[in-house]
């Protein structure tokens, strides 16, 4: 069965960087794009960007351009999201979300979420 | 980018009642590429409806979606205890894709 397993919670200081991983199993890794979506405490969903695990190409939301990097490792079937220059407003649960077989913009499988807390 | 406004913010219902959730877009959503997700506390969202009215795999038929252009609706015909959650709409027809702010369906 399809599984997306994310790395554990992180606590970072303002200005630091965080790298969250999403290890996949149960499907052909290079066939399905992966997105990253975050959710601040008590808030809604915010799209961050998309990565094509086959070629590694990415598209980032304008808000995060210059601060986010999404990568993948095909040997371990893992995608990564690194966010730099963290501020308190980046405190959120970060999700990886796999696309459906029929649309690159619908999400049918999600990781369990990784809480990133930014605090001095 | 397209802004999605969901209403009401909170819907208080008793089990067995009908739920009607609205999602209004700031401009027309291309090809009715509008989806609905359900999120329960501490869980990731779950895809319910895509292309405005198509149910995702395994979604009970008490969930239905309708609408086009700028106005979309998610209906739960008879709310079950497990349906109390937050519901988000998402448009994916125009770049960048965007989410609404959510409607919470709570027990009355």
């Amino acid at each position: 069965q399809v599984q997306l397993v994310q790395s554990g919670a992180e606590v970072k200081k303002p200005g630091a960087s965080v790298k969250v991983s999403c290890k996949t199993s149960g499907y052909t890794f290079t066939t399905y794009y992966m997105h990253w979506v975050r959710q601040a405490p008590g808030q809604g969903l915010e799209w961050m960007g998309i990565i094509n695990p086959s070629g590694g190409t990415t598209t980032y939301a304008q808000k995060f351009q210059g601060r986010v990097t999404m990568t993948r490792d095909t040997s371990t079937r893992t995608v990564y999201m690194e966010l730099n220059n963290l501020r308190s407003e980046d405190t959120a649960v970060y999700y990886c979300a796999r696309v459906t077989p029929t649309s690159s913009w619908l999400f049918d499988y999600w990781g369990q979420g990784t809480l990133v807390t930014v605090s001095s | 980018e397209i802004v999605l406004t969901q209403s009401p913010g909170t819907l208080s219902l008793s089990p067995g009642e009908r739920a009607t959730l609205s999602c209004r877009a700031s401009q027309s959503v291309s090809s009715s590429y509008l989806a609905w997700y359900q999120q329960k506390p501490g869980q990731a969202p779950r895809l319910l409806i895509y292309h405005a009215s198509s149910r995702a795999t395994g979604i009970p038929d008490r969930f239905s979606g309708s609408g086009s252009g700028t106005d979309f609706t998610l209906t739960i015909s008879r709310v079950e205890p497990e349906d109390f959650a937050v519901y988000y709409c998402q448009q994916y027809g125009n770049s960048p894709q965007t989410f609404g702010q959510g409607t919470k369906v709570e027990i009355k």
Side-chain angles (χ1 to χ4, degrees):
Chain A
Q1 71 282 21
V2 175
Q3 286 193 308
L4 307 179
V5 179
Q6 297 184 222
S7 48
E10 303 261 14
V11 179
K12 297 292 183 180
K13 294 193 182 304
S17 298
V18 68
K19 190 171 186 177
V20 179
S21 67
C22 172
K23 185 171 178 59
T24 72
S25 61
Y27 70 97
T28 303
F29 177 69
T30 51
T31 299
Y32 297 87
Y33 290 8
M34 192 76 77
H35 294 252
W36 288 89
V37 175
R38 76 177 187 179
Q39 186 171 38
Q43 301 301 308
L45 303 168
E46 182 174 33
W47 178 72
M48 299 182 68
I50 179 176
I51 181 168
N52 177 354
S54 177
T57 54
T58 56
T59 300
Y60 303 134
Q62 189 168 15
K63 175 177 179 176
F64 299 101
Q65 295 251 5
R67 239 182 13 117
V68 71
T69 304
M70 297 176 187
T71 56
R72 94 288 189 219
D73 182 339
T74 55
S75 67
T76 60
R77 306 167 53 90
T78 303
V79 294
Y80 299 91
M81 186 284 300
E82 183 172 23
L83 190 61
N84 301 317
N85 193 20
L86 291 168
R87 31 223 195 215
S88 59
E89 312 89 87
D90 294 318
T91 294
V93 175
Y94 290 76
Y95 293 102
C96 56
R98 197 202 77 166
V99 303
T100 71
T102 55
S103 170
S104 296
W105 296 95
L106 287 173
F107 317 127
D108 60 357
Y109 288 96
W110 297 66
Q112 82 276 18
T114 296
L115 175 62
V116 175
T117 303
V118 183
S119 174
S120 55
Chain B
E1 70 178 42
I2 292 181
V3 176
L4 299 179
T5 302
Q6 294 186 238
S7 62
T10 302
L11 195 52
S12 299
L13 296 168
S14 300
E17 289 191 301
R18 183 183 187 89
T20 303
L21 287 67
S22 173
C23 177
R24 178 162 291 177
S26 59
Q27 56 188 278
S28 185
V29 176
S30 176
S31 303
S32 294
Y33 285 151
L34 192 287
W36 291 91
Y37 294 82
Q38 176 195 67
Q39 187 179 34
K40 297 180 181 179
Q43 297 184 16
R46 176 173 73 143
L47 178 63
L48 298 176
I49 301 285
Y50 63 95
H51 203 191
S53 60
S54 298
R55 270 187 300 277
T57 302
I59 301 304
D61 60 8
R62 64 179 181 273
F63 291 93
S64 63
S66 63
S68 63
T70 60
D71 288 294
F72 299 87
T73 301
L74 174 70
T75 301
I76 311 172
S77 58
R78 294 170 58 87
V79 175
E80 299 284 340
E82 62 267 29
D83 299 337
F84 292 99
V86 179
Y87 293 82
Y88 294 96
C89 57
Q90 175 210 15
Q91 70 79 22
Y92 55 102
N94 303 70
S95 182
Q97 66 87 49
T98 50
F99 291 100
Q101 84 281 13
T103 289
K104 181 178 182 180
V105 177
E106 65 174 21
I107 300 175
K108 187 175 183 180

